[in-house]
Amino acid sequence: MASASASASLESATRGAKSSAALEFLKSSPKKLLINGKWVPSKSGKTFETLNPANEQVLALVAEGDKADVDEAVKYARKAYEDAKWANLSPHARTGLLLKIADLIEQHADELAELETLDNGKPLFESRNIDIPGAAETFRYYAGFATKIYGETNPSDPSMFNYTLREPVGVCGQIIPWNFPLLMASWKIAPALACGNVVILKPAEQTPLTAIRLGELICEAGLPEGVVQIVTGFGPGAGSSIAEHPDIDKVAFTGSTEVGKLILQASAGNLKRVSLELGGKSPNIIFPDADMPAAVFGSSLGIFLNQGQVCCAGSRVFVQESVYDQFTDSLSKMASGLTLGNPLDPNTRMGPLVSKEQHDRVKGYLKAGKEEGAKAKTGGEPGKQEAGYFIQPTVFTGVNNQMKIAREEIFGPVASAIPFKDEADVVFQSNDTTYGLAAGVWTKDINRALTIARKLKAGTVWINTYSVLDPISPFGGYKQSGFGRELGKYAIDLYTQIKSVYARIG
Ligand code: ADP
């Protein structure tokens, strides 16, 4: 991007950005693939555009990796793995390098936050306070694990000594979505590296920038070449080649349930280990005895954070009949008070959706909701901005659990408020879904909360809070929300395999 018109268009695409480092990064376009410690163009020479969804202008061109590039990435990853450049490093050295990556993320937090907001559209307020610190924290958390991955000695017959080794799985393909680009990259890369694996990460085509920048920081931290490859590209192409590749040992995927099923099928060829974190249609339950201001705020966060593009969003808000009108009034007031606009403005609380495709999808659900007889108590329309993929925060009332807007994942700022009669009714309705990622319960009656928490078929339950995620605790789905647990010590199970060793004694 050297020409005057290119730099003028970059200036216009990034209007409001303050980080000179982010702008410098964007100027060196097209962005390349990280393979074997070097930045290389795609073999086909093809690139694709990544846009700022707040103004629909091009931020950068990005290498379009496909099968040939994945083959190349796997070749070098395999070599790095077999040479044991990483797995045989002392665990303390691996800890040190992962901590260094965490430090570098923190040192570059302002730049990374702006890049994330430019590429994804999420408010800077969120990227600076949630995504980027969360990514650093994840690397730091798993840095500690590198020195704490234990085998066991087992109660074998006295003529034998039996012990287990926890070994890395090998070459891991990791395919991530666009909703929390850097955070998802860190959830994938950090535990895999802590366990001694090598990785090939494919960021989402809508939001490749922070993963590329993370790749640069990983090189700066001094990881051996071939340990981390970043292959940008599309789902069919780069993503599918990873899922199918005969020399990849494990694939970890976060994305839609639909694509999760394709990944599972594609992985059958060489029986890859698979972990899937997929969609959701999570219930968020409000009882009349809840602390109402807290429940309204928490429910608003539950559905409107990141424009509702969150797999565990509390998109079905179940409210007991006696407080239904009062609660939905308050939630609607809070929704209409969220400042919609340029996400780089620190006061903005809701930016655009990530892409035109997503904008069209969510508009389709707004239409479907109205056609099915739900009422938009607030919102229900696209935002009024001149450009960009904005949707007004929306609260639908008069929803029942069989409507399309209550059954399908919208992935937008759309709450479907559904009345319920009693505990049994709400547990039944909450579980009446193909998904099972998360759930929320708001009540001051702790017995009721704990009882319901047991009955909900969901991988995470929040009581009197919502959307809290911390690397200390596992995250993943029941039912068609996926399988395998990321975060916490559970991610170590995903990225290690166990070897049992018998030795005859005497
Ligand atoms: P969304 O519908 O939210 O965009 P997707 O599940 O389509 O989510 O995408 C999540 C990730 O999966 C992205 O990195 C995307 O490129 C990738 N992907 C999409 N289709 C495929 C596929 N057929 N095989 C492998 N990866 C895919």
Side-chain angles (χ1 to χ4, degrees):
M1 276 224 184
S3 75
S5 72
S7 60
S9 65
L10 182 59
E11 201 176 299
S12 151
T14 57
R15 185 141 303 142
K18 294 199 175 65
S19 161
S20 51
L23 297 176
E24 268 318 297
F25 172 79
L26 290 171
K27 273 186 201 155
S28 69
S29 169
K31 294 290 165 204
K32 296 180 178 164
L33 313 173
L34 177 61
I35 296 180
N36 198 32
K38 292 173 192 65
W39 293 94
V40 296
S42 62
K43 284 186 180 291
S44 67
K46 284 196 204 158
T47 58
F48 62 96
E49 295 176 337
T50 188
L51 304 184
N52 179 348
N55 57 28
E56 304 172 41
Q57 295 182 31
V58 179
L59 291 167
L61 296 178
V62 179
E64 184 187 330
D66 61 19
K67 184 175 180 310
D69 305 289
V70 169
D71 284 347
E72 187 83 350
V74 173
K75 187 174 92 189
Y76 285 107
R78 172 60 60 194
K79 186 168 183 325
Y81 184 68
E82 299 305 336
D83 290 352
K85 280 186 188 171
W86 181 242
N88 277 0
L89 212 59
S90 130
H92 293 290
R94 263 188 283 146
T95 295
L97 287 165
L98 292 176
L99 289 175
K100 200 155 175 197
I101 298 172
D103 289 346
L104 285 167
I105 292 173
E106 266 172 5
Q107 284 161 25
H108 294 270
D110 290 332
E111 173 194 353
L112 287 164
E114 281 209 349
L115 282 177
E116 202 74 301
T117 288
L118 284 166
D119 212 14
N120 166 282
K122 65 177 67 206
L124 190 64
F125 177 75
E126 291 179 15
S127 44
R128 188 64 184 84
N129 294 309
I130 299 173
D131 296 69
I132 311 305
E137 198 168 61
T138 305
F139 272 98
R140 207 157 273 147
Y141 176 78
Y142 284 107
F145 263 105
T147 52
K148 297 166 196 72
I149 296 172
Y150 298 101
E152 293 165 330
T153 55
N154 299 311
S156 48
D157 181 275
S159 65
M160 290 285 167
F161 173 50
N162 175 255
Y163 64 96
T164 57
L165 293 171
R166 248 184 203 269
E167 298 184 338
V169 178
V171 178
C172 300
Q174 305 183 313
I175 302 172
I176 57 170
W178 44 259
N179 58 346
F180 291 90
L182 188 73
L183 193 60
M184 289 301 107
S186 69
W187 283 24
K188 295 281 182 281
I189 295 178
L193 295 188
C195 297
N197 299 279
V198 301
V199 307
I200 296 152
L201 178 86
K202 194 202 88 63
E205 54 272 33
Q206 297 85 350
T207 55
L209 295 177
T210 48
I212 297 170
R213 188 70 186 103
L214 176 65
E216 293 179 354
L217 296 177
I218 286 173
C219 294
E220 191 179 330
L223 267 77
E225 57 197 24
V227 173
V228 174
Q229 342 308 305
I230 313 270
V231 178
T232 45
F234 292 96
S240 54
S241 303
I242 289 175
E244 287 163 10
H245 204 287
D247 204 24
I248 291 183
D249 301 299
K250 177 193 163 57
V251 63
F253 171 78
T254 299
S256 60
T257 294
E258 192 190 345
V259 174
K261 291 178 183 175
L262 296 176
I263 302 272
L264 195 55
Q265 283 164 5
S267 66
N270 69 332
L271 288 178
K272 285 180 191 65
R273 278 96 187 108
V274 178
S275 49
L276 300 173
E277 199 266 273
L278 309 175
K281 194 72 196 174
S282 299
N284 180 28
I285 304 168
I286 319 295
F287 282 99
D289 68 342
D291 172 343
M292 279 300 160
V296 170
F297 180 77
S299 303
S300 170
L301 192 76
I303 182 62
F304 298 127
L305 182 81
N306 201 23
Q307 294 72 241
Q309 303 165 126
V310 181
C311 47
C312 54
S315 51
R316 289 185 298 152
V317 185
F318 287 101
V319 190
Q320 201 168 41
E321 286 165 345
S322 62
V323 290
Y324 186 81
D325 289 338
Q326 175 204 334
F327 182 85
T328 53
D329 275 350
S330 306
L331 183 62
S332 302
K333 264 196 207 99
M334 182 150 284
S336 57
L338 294 169
T339 315
L340 191 71
N342 183 349
L344 286 169
D345 181 333
N347 297 317
T348 293
R349 291 296 174 271
M350 185 164 295
L353 304 192
V354 73
S355 64
K356 176 169 188 318
E357 187 189 359
Q358 194 57 19
H359 197 231
D360 289 344
R361 227 173 92 88
V362 174
K363 282 192 290 186
Y365 280 110
L366 294 177
K367 188 159 169 276
K370 291 173 197 164
E371 282 169 4
E372 282 179 304
K375 181 174 171 293
K377 206 161 188 167
T378 187
E381 300 292 334
K384 297 192 175 62
Q385 286 67 14
E386 276 167 25
Y389 308 122
F390 292 88
I391 294 280
Q392 295 174 356
T394 299
V395 177
F396 271 125
T397 53
V399 182
N400 71 57
N401 203 34
Q402 301 312 315
M403 289 180 180
K404 193 169 167 170
I405 55 169
R407 302 209 77 74
E408 296 181 16
E409 185 175 43
I410 299 176
F411 231 59
V414 183
S416 298
I418 306 172
F420 70 88
K421 284 192 176 41
D422 55 24
E423 248 177 70
D425 177 30
V426 79
V427 168
F428 174 81
Q429 293 202 64
S430 294
N431 289 335
D432 180 15
T433 167
T434 54
Y435 294 112
L437 194 54
V441 188
W442 297 82
T443 173
K444 285 191 186 131
D445 180 344
I446 194 67
N447 287 327
R448 171 151 70 189
L450 297 179
T451 306
I452 289 184
R454 281 188 184 228
K455 291 182 179 166
L456 291 169
K457 293 184 175 141
T460 296
V461 178
W462 288 293
I463 298 173
N464 296 327
T465 184
Y466 207 96
S467 298
V468 179
L469 288 174
D470 186 318
I472 58 149
S473 188
F475 184 72
Y478 279 36
K479 301 195 271 183
Q480 291 191 36
S481 291
F483 49 78
R485 291 290 176 272
E486 299 192 285
L487 301 188
K489 64 181 180 180
Y490 297 88
I492 304 305
D493 294 333
L494 298 185
Y495 290 103
T496 55
Q497 51 192 342
I498 295 173
K499 179 181 282 173
S500 171
V501 183
Y502 286 92
R504 181 178 289 285
I505 300 176

